Amino acid sequence: MTETVTTPAVRTRAESPVLSGPGLFTVLLAAALPLVDFFIVNVALPTIGADLAAGESVLELVVAGYGVAYAVLLVLGGRLGDLFGRRRLFLGGMAAFGLTSLACGLAPGAWSLVAARVAQGASAAAMLPQVLATIQAATSGGRRARAMSLYGATAGLSMVAGQILGGVLVAADIAGSGWRSIFLVNVPVVLLGLVLAVRFVPETRSQRPEPVDGPGTVLLTVSLLTLLAPLTEGRAAGWPLWTWLSLAAFPLAAAAFYAVERRADRQGRTPLVPPSLFALASLRRGLVLMLPFSIGFSGFMFVIALALQQGAGLGPVQAGLALAPMAVVFLFVSLAGPRLIARFGTRVVTAGAVVQGVGVLLIVLAAWRDWPHLDFGSLLPGVAVAGAGQALQLPNLMRIVMSEMPPARAGVGSGVMVTTQQSALALGVATLGTLFLTLVPHQGMRDALVITLLVQLAGIVLTGLLSLRLPRTVG
């Protein structure tokens, strides 16, 4: 009798993994690494170019190679986690991220650094989707809401902290390592993460694992490459013919991808990105909002770093620390997200767009009034208010997107969300960055900055209007 009663209880516990506090810390640490590394390189590029005798187009590949490999493989990484076990992919991806970071830090030349960065982006794509999928599968109720809010806070903080940390590490020149320390710093962090993950991260997988969709994987990769590669490399390469041909091929590749996925879904097969997922209003509308938000976020970070260093004459450390109030305010406001959503619903996201818009306007006024003497004090009000607005949007958007996702499809759902975010981050640097750099020779640095920020403001207004279509409550 005892065995009859105990065995089902044991099985239930085995089938219902729980993500503990240390486990949540571990997966959030892993979530921070890829985003930090996306932004940490920005302020180090001049030093890398001088040390490795690399031209602008090669330096662009140091950034673009990582971002494109990361974006195109994210959905596949989520599917593999569903299929083989998320903890297994998490550990493998994290170990590979540490090894490729070491390869970046020890790269003897520019092209070996580009190759290591591409491999680093692929490693991140194996690791990151398992974070959201594990949270989705191993938490519930209030614990899931808090975990998702912390994930969103981690994502936002990582983007700001990456830029600050890059400036500090390059200036510190630890043991004469110079720019190499921005990659080598990942190695001890990864070792700590692996030790914690082995002990505290539970294994989860889909109860009905779906095999890899070969045609869908190829077509999604082609679609993202034809869009992201020319946009990230076009300006530095002088917009050669291949960039225009690639952009012209993008809608054709995207249409072919959608047709193949829809056919597979209707025939009962397992597409890489099931179109039926987009029947979830929370996912569909949340992803639409994430595009303009992430484009504006990354574009702002790239442009303000250039303007402060090349225009206002600040060093990398001072330019990074000028954004520190944004990170501090983001942290504290994002922690209040679950309570605000519980009380006011998704209108919190709308309020966040309004607050962020006010912050960007304050930055515009500071740039117009104080240029070229922009510093910590003149930027403080604007970046602090903008950080509060971003904190009301990003963590809550991520929670909204995943709120109705079935645990069995947590891997593919998280892969789709992070792919959308990562692609939009790359688009932000490519579009707003290209606009800014194109305007500088004709308008001057100040006016180019002001115009670019006003374009970002238009995107914030669009985000606010789109947020009115979100479901009023979040599950």
Side-chain angles (χ1 to χ4, degrees):
M1 177 69 70
T2 303
E3 290 181 0
T4 305
V5 174
T6 303
T7 302
V10 172
R11 185 180 299 117
T12 300
R13 284 195 297 271
E15 292 173 355
S16 303
V18 176
L19 186 64
S20 64
L24 178 60
F25 170 82
T26 304
V27 296
L28 292 180
L29 178 68
L33 285 171
L35 284 170
V36 166
D37 268 57
F38 184 85
F39 287 91
I40 201 170
V41 177
N42 285 345
V43 294
L45 286 176
T47 309
I48 295 173
D51 187 40
L52 300 181
E56 185 181 8
S57 60
V58 178
L59 290 176
E60 287 282 348
L61 281 175
V62 172
V63 179
Y66 175 85
V68 172
Y70 183 26
V72 301
L73 295 173
L74 277 164
V75 177
L76 178 61
R79 173 60 58 83
L80 292 175
D82 287 348
L83 187 60
F84 297 111
R86 293 156 189 152
R87 182 174 181 269
R88 182 180 301 176
L89 262 290
F90 179 82
L91 289 169
M94 179 175 275
F97 191 85
L99 290 173
T100 52
S101 296
L102 181 63
C104 289
L106 299 178
W111 286 106
S112 59
L113 176 59
V114 169
R117 282 284 283 174
V118 171
Q120 190 188 33
S123 302
M127 174 177 64
L128 189 63
Q130 319 316 325
V131 174
L132 272 174
T134 299
I135 290 174
Q136 195 75 4
T139 61
S140 60
R143 292 186 71 250
R144 180 182 295 171
R146 287 189 295 273
M148 287 299 300
S149 294
L150 286 171
Y151 176 88
T154 300
L157 280 172
S158 300
M159 290 187 257
V160 182
Q163 210 139 300
I164 298 172
L165 184 62
V168 170
L169 288 174
V170 171
D173 192 20
I174 301 169
S177 59
W179 59 268
R180 298 178 186 275
S181 61
I182 68 174
F183 300 114
L184 296 176
V185 72
N186 290 335
V187 176
V189 177
V190 165
L191 290 174
L192 172 63
L194 288 172
V195 171
L196 293 173
V198 167
R199 183 170 182 182
F200 295 114
V201 175
E203 178 64 281
T204 65
R205 69 176 70 209
S206 174
Q207 296 301 313
R208 294 180 299 278
E210 301 168 336
V212 173
D213 170 18
T217 300
V218 171
L219 285 170
L220 178 62
T221 300
V222 171
S223 299
L224 291 174
L225 280 174
T226 54
L227 176 65
L228 296 178
L231 288 178
T232 53
E233 274 294 291
R235 183 189 61 83
W239 297 106
L241 179 62
W242 72 263
T243 60
W244 300 108
L245 293 176
S246 181
L247 288 171
F250 166 68
L252 301 177
F257 170 70
Y258 177 74
V260 166
E261 298 297 273
R262 183 176 62 176
R263 186 183 307 115
D265 214 10
R266 287 178 173 176
Q267 293 176 354
R269 301 201 306 272
T270 52
L272 184 70
V273 181
S276 56
L277 275 184
F278 294 91
L280 301 174
S282 56
L283 179 135
R284 184 177 67 252
R285 295 174 184 176
L287 291 180
V288 169
L289 259 75
M290 194 166 287
L291 282 169
F293 176 86
S294 297
I295 287 171
F297 199 138
S298 65
F300 169 82
M301 297 296 292
F302 180 78
V303 167
I304 201 70
L306 286 178
L308 292 178
Q309 291 182 82
Q310 297 181 6
L314 300 182
V317 176
Q318 291 79 9
L321 290 178
L323 300 176
M326 178 180 287
V328 173
V329 173
F330 190 104
L331 173 63
F332 285 104
V333 174
S334 62
L335 293 177
R339 293 192 299 274
L340 293 172
I341 284 285
R343 182 170 181 181
F344 300 107
T346 58
R347 290 298 177 261
V348 171
V349 177
T350 310
V354 173
V355 173
Q356 185 189 5
V358 171
V360 170
L361 276 177
L362 290 174
I363 297 171
V364 168
L365 291 174
W368 187 264
R369 181 187 66 233
D370 298 334
W371 189 265
H373 305 295
L374 280 180
D375 55 19
F376 181 91
S378 58
L379 288 172
L380 174 61
V383 296
V385 173
Q390 290 164 346
L392 292 173
Q393 295 173 85
L394 181 59
N396 295 320
L397 272 178
M398 289 181 165
R399 180 182 165 193
I400 289 165
V401 168
M402 296 295 290
S403 61
E404 297 178 304
M405 185 65 56
R409 284 188 159 178
V412 66
S414 63
V416 169
M417 185 183 80
V418 181
T419 298
T420 302
Q421 182 194 32
Q422 181 62 33
S423 300
L425 291 176
L427 282 172
V429 174
T431 53
L432 292 180
T434 297
L435 172 65
F436 174 74
L437 292 170
T438 302
L439 290 172
V440 167
H442 308 287
Q443 303 291 333
M445 187 75 73
R446 184 195 70 170
D447 289 357
L449 175 61
V450 168
I451 293 170
T452 305
L453 289 175
L454 290 176
V455 172
Q456 184 199 358
L457 183 62
I460 294 170
V461 172
L462 175 63
T463 303
L465 293 173
L466 289 172
S467 69
L468 297 174
R469 300 189 67 247
L470 289 172
R472 289 299 299 268
T473 59
V474 182

